[in-house]
Amino acid sequence: AGHFQLSADKSMLDFAETFGLTVFVYTLGLYVGPNFFGLLRHEQAANLWSLGVIVIGTVMALGLCLVLPVSLPDMVGILCGATTNTPALGAAQQALEAAGQPSGGAALGCAVTYPLGVVGVILAMILIRKLLVKPADFEPRISMEEDNTYVAQFVVINPP
């Protein structure tokens, strides 16, 4: 739109950003919400591992922020993009603005690292499969006589 010399009011841009993030989080909540608390109760080991990964990633990002010449807003955006966590980016931008720091670098860092976060997970899964999965894991564990799977086609006709 900028190429055609079109621009929007800053308050409209802020509204559109907040509205889009709200719709995204709401839709995600509708999808994940019904099973959320049940999974917290039954998958405690996996939840602790997940929490550990989040804490280690955050500590590493803050540590790299101290060592490398990367500003805090940029590093927060890089962390949110690398973990493909859009709601965290929205929360980080609000926290940065409340602290009086510019939050523009967070969105740019997220935009740069988001594709790498998606591709990195895919490559990690391929690597884990190559290193940890044995060919015997792909063999069927039940005999074919017990397999009751079939393909069917149904035609539904509404009689007059």
Side-chain angles (χ1 to χ4, degrees):
H3 173 73
F4 298 110
Q5 306 300 323
L6 299 174
S7 63
D9 184 36
K10 170 120 173 73
S11 61
M12 179 59 198
L13 291 175
D14 290 339
F15 170 76
E17 178 182 326
T18 304
F19 182 73
L21 185 61
T22 303
V23 170
F24 173 76
V25 172
Y26 176 74
T27 307
L28 189 64
L30 286 177
Y31 181 73
V32 177
N35 299 324
F36 180 74
F37 291 107
L39 290 173
L40 283 179
R41 259 188 318 228
H42 298 294
E43 300 290 334
Q44 291 177 357
N47 290 329
L48 289 175
W49 277 107
S50 300
L51 181 63
V53 167
I54 292 167
V55 168
I56 290 171
T58 304
V59 168
M60 284 179 57
L62 293 175
L64 287 173
C65 189
L66 296 174
V67 175
L68 299 175
V70 178
S71 68
L72 181 64
D74 291 343
M75 188 58 78
V76 169
I78 290 169
L79 177 64
C80 293
T83 57
T84 63
N85 195 342
T86 308
L89 175 64
Q93 286 178 321
Q94 282 186 336
L96 287 168
E97 287 175 7
Q101 293 195 16
S103 63
L108 180 61
C110 183
V112 169
T113 57
Y114 196 97
L116 298 174
V118 173
V119 173
V121 170
I122 294 170
L123 293 176
M125 290 297 134
I126 291 171
L127 183 66
I128 288 171
R129 183 175 177 192
K130 293 285 185 195
L131 295 177
L132 301 178
V133 177
K134 300 180 258 340
D137 293 336
F138 294 111
E139 297 297 324
R141 291 189 170 87
I142 59 172
S143 66
M144 295 308 266
E145 293 85 34
E146 296 177 18
D147 187 7
N148 296 323
T149 305
Y150 60 93
V151 176
Q153 181 177 357
F154 298 98
V155 178
V156 178
I157 300 174
N158 189 7

